[in-house]
Amino acid sequence: MGVGTGPDGSSRSDEEWERFLRESVAGAADAPKEPSARARDVAKRLRAEPGGPEGWRGYSPARPKRRTGWYVAGLLASLVLLVVALAPGWIVDLFAGDDPGSPPLAAETGRPAQAPPAEAAQRPTVDEPFRGSPAASWASGAAGITVPKAGAVGWMSAAEVRRALARSRDFLVASGLDRGVLRGERPEKAIALINPHQKDVQDLLKTAFRTPGEKSDPLLLFSRFRPSRTHLVGDVVKTRGRLTYREGERGALQVTADVTFVYPVTRANEGADAGGDDDEIVRTIVRRELVLSWDDPAKVITEPGTFSIVSYKYDMTNGGCGAPTGYFTPPFGTDRRADEAGTEVDPYDRSGPVGRGESSGDECRRATRS
């Protein structure tokens, strides 16, 4: 055992010096002012020891580690569990859309090979007006109309074709999705895109809204409901379709639009029709095919930013039968019996051509599913 000498001349063992030095770190009053060489050796050894007092390493008080991230994650997890427990349907709808059983479909880039599969029979509701139909997994509004990549065609550069395709889709939006037009207003924005020098179409427009007839029905180009009879359910119209293009006559850009629109509606005067349910919802389904020609102004009289209409066709179910009125007239309650004699058609089947056009008459079609 080593022995050292204290400031008063007394002898101290190594153990006593270690205790003495530890106490001096804590502020002991009797700490020696001038430790001996032996004390300095002990102090040096204490500093070198892994288990020595922390004071010799520049000790600073340890602070508790913040674990805010874990607390926030735990709080969020608790909130999610609470929401799932109280409103599980809301969580399902948030991630699955209108129909939890149908994942969102990819954009349509070509004609499908077959009709969409059958859906489980479910009655539509105000909150889920597309439930029980293929349209539940379709995109909404303009998002459901696929626009292809643009390339130079005829007299147009790629950039000009891109603008023409965008304006072609604008026409579909203005004629089939504009809320004012759907409520029966005149489709001024859509009409402004039509070549004002195209005589046959301009003649149709002059008479269609005043005296609609078989050959001059605004429904040939526009979707309209009479607001005093029919109300749209919600703010969403489901769509599915695409634009294609090629070079037409005289080097024109010819754009073909093939789009199906699904309109959920209810009667404006609920309960007025005999035998009807007050909360009855009907889906009017319209498939339109339009061929538009963006003509070379050097070869055809036209106005910048307008197109000529080459042809127009449409198939319609749950839109009413009988003499043209200029509006879709969805059948509610017992009125549905008038449609039972019509030709059967699957309104969601886009695998075949559009059948109804300018010369098809007022043939009524009955939906095999709606």
Side-chain angles (χ1 to χ4, degrees):
M1 177 182 297
V3 178
T5 304
D8 56 356
S10 61
S11 297
R12 297 177 182 268
S13 65
D14 288 350
E15 290 79 1
E16 290 174 329
W17 269 109
E18 291 180 13
R19 183 173 65 254
F20 181 81
L21 291 172
R22 293 181 191 276
E23 291 174 351
S24 68
V25 173
D30 57 348
K33 296 180 180 179
E34 292 290 336
S36 66
R38 184 60 175 172
R40 289 194 294 271
D41 290 339
V42 173
K44 182 178 180 180
R45 182 166 56 83
L46 288 173
R47 284 196 297 267
E49 287 179 359
E54 291 181 331
W56 293 107
R57 304 186 185 96
Y59 170 80
S60 61
R63 297 180 180 178
K65 295 182 179 179
R66 297 179 179 270
R67 301 198 178 188
T68 306
W70 287 104
Y71 294 141
V72 172
L75 179 60
L76 291 176
S78 299
L79 290 175
V80 170
L81 291 175
L82 179 61
V83 172
V84 171
L86 296 179
W90 182 83
I91 292 294
V92 172
D93 291 344
L94 178 65
F95 292 97
D98 294 282
D99 185 356
S102 300
L105 291 180
E108 183 178 283
T109 57
R111 177 167 289 181
Q114 58 188 10
E119 302 287 328
Q122 290 180 299
R123 184 175 180 176
T125 66
V126 171
D127 294 329
E128 297 181 84
F130 304 99
R131 185 174 68 166
S133 76
S137 59
W138 290 7
S140 302
I145 305 172
T146 305
V147 178
K149 182 178 179 180
V153 171
W155 70 282
M156 282 187 167
S157 66
E160 290 170 327
V161 170
R162 187 180 305 110
R163 286 193 293 270
L165 290 172
R167 285 180 173 266
S168 298
R169 186 168 72 165
D170 288 345
F171 178 81
L172 296 172
V173 171
S175 61
L177 294 172
D178 183 275
R179 303 301 291 187
V181 174
L182 294 179
R183 296 189 186 102
E185 297 177 9
R186 185 178 174 86
E188 298 292 355
K189 292 181 181 179
I191 292 174
L193 292 170
I194 301 174
N195 182 3
H197 303 288
Q198 188 179 6
K199 187 177 184 304
D200 56 343
V201 175
Q202 292 302 323
D203 288 344
L204 181 153
L205 296 175
K206 287 178 182 178
T207 60
F209 298 99
R210 295 197 308 266
T211 55
E214 181 181 326
K215 302 296 184 181
S216 59
D217 189 345
L219 298 183
L220 292 169
L221 294 172
F222 314 105
S223 294
R224 308 169 76 228
F225 296 88
R226 191 186 298 276
S228 60
R229 183 184 186 278
T230 306
H231 281 175
L232 292 163
V233 177
D235 298 323
V236 174
V237 173
K238 292 288 189 174
T239 58
R240 186 155 183 83
R242 65 195 182 279
L243 301 181
T244 57
Y245 67 92
R246 65 179 184 86
E247 185 174 346
E249 295 183 5
R250 296 179 289 275
L253 170 69
Q254 183 169 296
V255 178
T256 299
D258 181 353
V259 181
T260 300
F261 303 81
V262 183
Y263 305 101
V265 294
T266 187
R267 64 185 122 206
N269 50 340
E270 293 185 355
D273 293 339
D277 296 330
D278 289 346
D279 60 349
E280 183 180 10
I281 294 175
V282 171
R283 289 186 285 251
T284 298
I285 306 163
V286 184
R287 181 182 174 191
R288 295 189 182 279
E289 181 186 282
L290 294 168
V291 180
L292 314 176
S293 181
W294 293 87
D295 299 310
D296 183 349
K299 299 177 181 179
V300 175
I301 300 175
T302 185
E303 295 295 328
T306 67
F307 55 77
S308 298
I309 298 179
V310 177
S311 65
Y312 44 86
K313 302 177 183 179
Y314 78 103
D315 284 330
M316 177 268 295
T317 55
N318 288 335
C321 296
T325 65
Y327 302 94
F328 292 127
T329 55
F332 298 103
T334 55
D335 290 345
R336 284 177 175 263
R337 296 174 184 173
D339 289 348
E340 291 181 356
T343 303
E344 283 194 347
V345 61
D346 181 352
Y348 300 101
D349 185 359
R350 296 181 45 77
S351 62
V354 180
R356 184 171 181 171
E358 303 97 314
S359 60
S360 62
D362 59 352
E363 178 187 1
C364 197
R365 292 173 177 253
R366 179 164 60 91
T368 57
R369 54 176 171 172
S370 61

